[in-house]
Amino acid sequence: MAARPWPADEPFARDLLAAFTRRPRSISPKWFYDAEGSRLFDRICELPEYYPTRTERAILQAHAREMADVIGPGAELVEFGAGSCDKVRLILDELREPRCFRPVDISAAHLQAAAAGLRRDYPGLDVQPLAADYTQRLLLPAPEPGVRRVGFFPGSTIGNFTPEEALAFLRGAAELLRGGGLLLGVDLVKDPQRLHAAYNDRQGVTAAFNLNLLARANRELGTRFDLSAFDHYAFYEPRLQRIEMHLVSRCRQDVRLGGTAVEIEEGETLHTESSHKYTLDGLGALALQAGFRPGPAWLDEERWFCVQWLAAPAAAL
Ligand code: AVJ
């Protein structure tokens, strides 16, 4: 059977090749999210073991009024990695005369659909979607004089960044949001057993989500990964305060990535994701370093998850 030509110019192809030719082998978790991966992530959010989504939602539900008070009237709200824009509705429901809402997401199609839904449900709201990579510097028009710009970054998505990347992101956000602030959802350090269970669900949805990276490569790049030759392996590393997800090779195997033959040893891993957890102190110190002033934090009763307000001073500290 003739092999499909390797789409060398596609960013996923380039990243996958780079991932398999460096040591230790690792790839960005952003490649999880094709249509199938997004569907699997939605299923993860429904799992009994995966507490972050429902815990954050409960915190937002319980405290949206106080959050809206901290944000203040007439604000411009910017959501980073907005996706389907469903969590922000809890805030929008309580916000007084929001000036506009700017959902930012890399997926333009997803964004347009979400924006249309918001315009339907919030007829007076000026919705200005921006298809962009929020890890890069965002080009936004300067807010009108007197309008506070406030960021919303829920879901502990910041956990996918290394602490260095998180600091860089927060520095950029403090600048973008000068005079306003950032409402940040963060998963907290907790009992390692509970963390472990959240990434090792009994139904195997997280395993399918992890393996979908290789399934996606087979679909989009014409690779021939044998999915049964890899195991999902996720564990909590307390010294780095993070979950690591890996794909571990069950045997010695050769894979082809276009013209490149890659030899994988038995037990070798591809590191597919890190999900960093924070303490309130650690988060506060990071935010201060980035130029924010930490304000109120809202937590669930178990203290598993936190929604933290970070004020962005008008002038640099
Ligand atoms: C979307 C990055 C917050 O780290 O918990 C869920 C992704 N990975 N299960 C997380 C994920 C495995 C999730 N984030």
Side-chain angles (χ1 to χ4, degrees):
M1 199 166 52
R4 257 206 266 166
W6 175 250
D9 291 336
E10 272 185 41
F12 181 32
R14 265 190 259 136
D15 259 30
L16 192 74
L17 183 60
F20 273 104
T21 47
R22 85 175 131 238
R23 300 299 174 115
R25 290 175 169 150
S26 69
I27 191 161
S28 164
K30 72 181 174 189
W31 300 114
F32 283 142
Y33 300 93
D34 66 343
E36 174 66 6
S38 300
R39 205 182 56 78
L40 286 165
F41 180 66
D42 287 346
R43 279 184 64 200
I44 287 175
C45 294
E46 302 289 323
L47 291 169
E49 298 95 336
Y50 194 75
Y51 61 86
T53 311
R54 82 175 65 89
T55 307
E56 180 179 51
R57 174 167 290 277
I59 295 168
L60 292 172
Q61 233 143 19
H63 302 289
R65 198 26 119 24
E66 298 149 65
M67 295 174 189
D69 285 345
V70 172
I71 293 170
E76 169 183 325
L77 193 61
V78 180
E79 180 171 355
F80 302 103
S84 50
C85 298
D86 54 340
K87 286 176 193 163
V88 76
R89 287 167 177 256
L90 297 167
I91 305 292
L92 289 173
D93 287 341
E94 300 295 338
L95 219 49
R96 286 175 17 240
E97 299 118 45
R99 178 64 200 80
C100 79
F101 174 54
R102 299 185 189 278
V104 181
D105 202 281
I106 192 102
S107 160
H110 213 143
L111 197 58
Q112 289 310 327
L118 282 173
R119 289 190 183 110
R120 188 191 56 226
D121 299 338
Y122 298 85
L125 183 66
D126 178 16
V127 182
Q128 299 283 348
L130 177 65
D133 178 354
Y134 60 81
T135 63
Q136 306 299 114
R137 177 177 230 88
L138 289 182
L139 283 173
L140 295 180
E144 288 155 48
V147 173
R148 270 155 61 85
R149 181 179 274 161
V150 168
F152 182 49
F153 194 28
S156 204
T157 307
I158 196 168
N160 271 168
F161 296 150
T162 64
E164 296 72 34
E165 291 165 343
L167 180 62
F169 170 79
L170 290 173
R171 282 204 166 115
E175 198 183 305
L176 187 77
L177 304 169
R178 246 183 306 203
L182 176 66
L183 197 57
L184 179 65
V186 179
D187 197 14
L188 299 176
V189 165
K190 60 180 63 62
D191 172 12
Q193 308 292 354
R194 182 156 317 272
L195 286 166
H196 187 90
Y199 294 82
N200 290 277
D201 66 278
R202 298 192 51 175
Q203 294 171 55
V205 182
T206 309
F209 175 74
N210 197 3
L211 282 159
N212 179 57
L213 184 94
L214 302 181
R216 177 183 185 179
N218 288 350
R219 285 191 296 269
E220 290 184 11
L221 309 177
T223 51
R224 293 182 194 162
F225 286 106
D226 172 5
L227 301 197
S228 70
F230 293 87
D231 279 325
H232 163 71
Y233 183 53
F235 60 92
Y236 183 62
E237 167 53 273
R239 285 170 295 188
L240 298 173
Q241 287 182 202
R242 70 186 195 189
I243 292 281
E244 288 187 18
M245 291 216 311
H246 294 256
L247 290 166
V248 183
S249 179
R250 297 170 62 108
C251 56
R252 209 209 66 78
Q253 51 179 316
D254 295 305
V255 297
R256 285 206 74 82
L257 303 174
T260 311
V262 174
E263 189 180 312
I264 306 174
E265 295 303 323
E266 181 179 357
E268 261 195 298
T269 90
L270 174 65
H271 183 178
T272 51
E273 183 175 43
S274 292
S275 186
H276 291 80
K277 311 302 172 186
Y278 286 86
T279 61
L280 285 181
D281 285 352
L283 181 61
L286 188 72
L288 265 176
Q289 216 189 330
F292 283 104
R293 271 187 292 226
W298 295 274
L299 283 76
D300 57 301
E301 240 165 57
E302 312 258 29
R303 305 178 71 84
W304 285 349
F305 200 96
C306 127
V307 177
Q308 169 81 54
W309 173 253
L310 300 173
L317 284 179

